[in-house]
Amino acid sequence: MTTGEEQKKLTTLSIRERKNAGKKIAALTAYDFTTATLLDESGIDVILVGDSLSNVFQGNETTLPVSVDEMIYHTRAVQKGIRRALLITDMPFLSYQVTVEDAVRNCGRVMKETRADGIKIEGGLPIIDVVKRVTDIGIPVMGHLGLTPQSINVFGTYKVRGVQPEEQQKIIDDATRLEDAGAFSIVLEKIPADLAQKVTEKVSVPTIGIGAGPHCDGQILVINDLLGLNEHFRPRFVRRYAELGESIRTHVRQYIDDVRNIRFPDKDESY
Ligand code: KIV
């Protein structure tokens, strides 16, 4: 990054404007201060504190167990590492689905206590009232359609969504509903590339894909997957840019060996 424009803090408006400018949006998840600092310094556009932290940080099988308090804890840490990227945090399961009033209170609390730039919520028609109300009171909303992991117990599988024509139409309709309700962008997860292209052409807000092909306005990955830290998870949409899991094991073994053989610490590392 060099120019003043590139250093400027990104806003939901600048992210929306990317669509018309034809400039792709690069997004990643982060769950801690150190990682957020590194991603921000690298020039990432959007950092999402995803409820995927339930899986990759807390070791749960699904995203369902994570709480509002835990999302707030991680988002506060991530926020301190960000100067430029747009910071979005996931609203966890049951924090926005019960009543609109409940959703407003929880989303408002997350915004007040974390300094996030916006929140992300999953689903279409059943949460449109929430998107509208939350947006109306000044909280930017990122939608999330396709494979919505908080509904995994209804889906019963993490397979690609939007294969059948009825579900394809539902995703297109939900995207339009989200846009009309005020969502500033929409994550499309694990749907066919041509469906993601249709949605992207239909709505005027940017789509951010994960396993949704190259036609989305941006892409997002879970940082642990990109870095090869989550080694057992290998869906085809993840490109591993590093093998940090293997690298960590190699270096920790080296450290153990050095300690056991009294090579660490040496004279220069002692007082
Ligand atoms: O929780 C998460 O990390 C997400 C992304 C995969 C989009 O929702």
Side-chain angles (χ1 to χ4, degrees), residues 19 49 78 85 90 98 108 132 144 167 173 175 185 213 220 269:
K19 183 159 182 135
V49 184
V78 166
D90 252 334
V98 181
K132 180 146 184 33
H144 185 155
E167 196 184 4
D173 293 344
S185 68
I220 185 162
E269 290 156 338

Side-chain angles (χ1 to χ4, degrees), residues 19 143-147 161-163 165-179 183 185-209 212-213 215-218:
K19 183 159 182 135
H144 185 155
L145 297 173
L147 179 69
R161 307 301 309 177
V163 176
E166 314 84 73
E167 196 184 4
Q168 295 200 342
Q169 193 53 52
K170 188 172 171 296
I171 290 171
I172 293 169
D173 293 344
D174 278 343
T176 309
R177 287 186 187 108
L178 284 171
E179 177 183 15
S185 68
I186 304 170
V187 167
L188 299 176
E189 180 162 353
K190 220 168 173 186
I191 61 172
D194 56 354
L195 174 59
Q197 181 172 16
K198 275 189 200 142
V199 174
T200 301
E201 285 166 3
K202 179 106 184 158
V203 295
S204 66
V205 294
T207 58
I208 312 223
H215 309 293
C216 296
D217 300 302

Side-chain angles (χ1 to χ4, degrees), residues 138-171:
I139 300 175
V141 175
M142 180 180 272
H144 185 155
L145 297 173
L147 179 69
T148 46
Q150 291 177 16
S151 302
I152 189 58
N153 292 311
V154 175
F155 295 153
T157 167
Y158 283 100
K159 277 197 191 128
V160 67
R161 307 301 309 177
V163 176
Q164 302 305 324
E166 314 84 73
E167 196 184 4
Q168 295 200 342
Q169 193 53 52
K170 188 172 171 296
I171 290 171

Side-chain angles (χ1 to χ4, degrees), residues 29 31 48 50-52 90 120 122 144 187 189 210 220 222:
T29 67
Y31 316 104
L48 170 72
D51 59 356
S52 51
D90 252 334
K120 176 164 83 58
E122 296 183 4
H144 185 155
V187 167
E189 180 162 353
I210 173 163
I220 185 162
V222 168

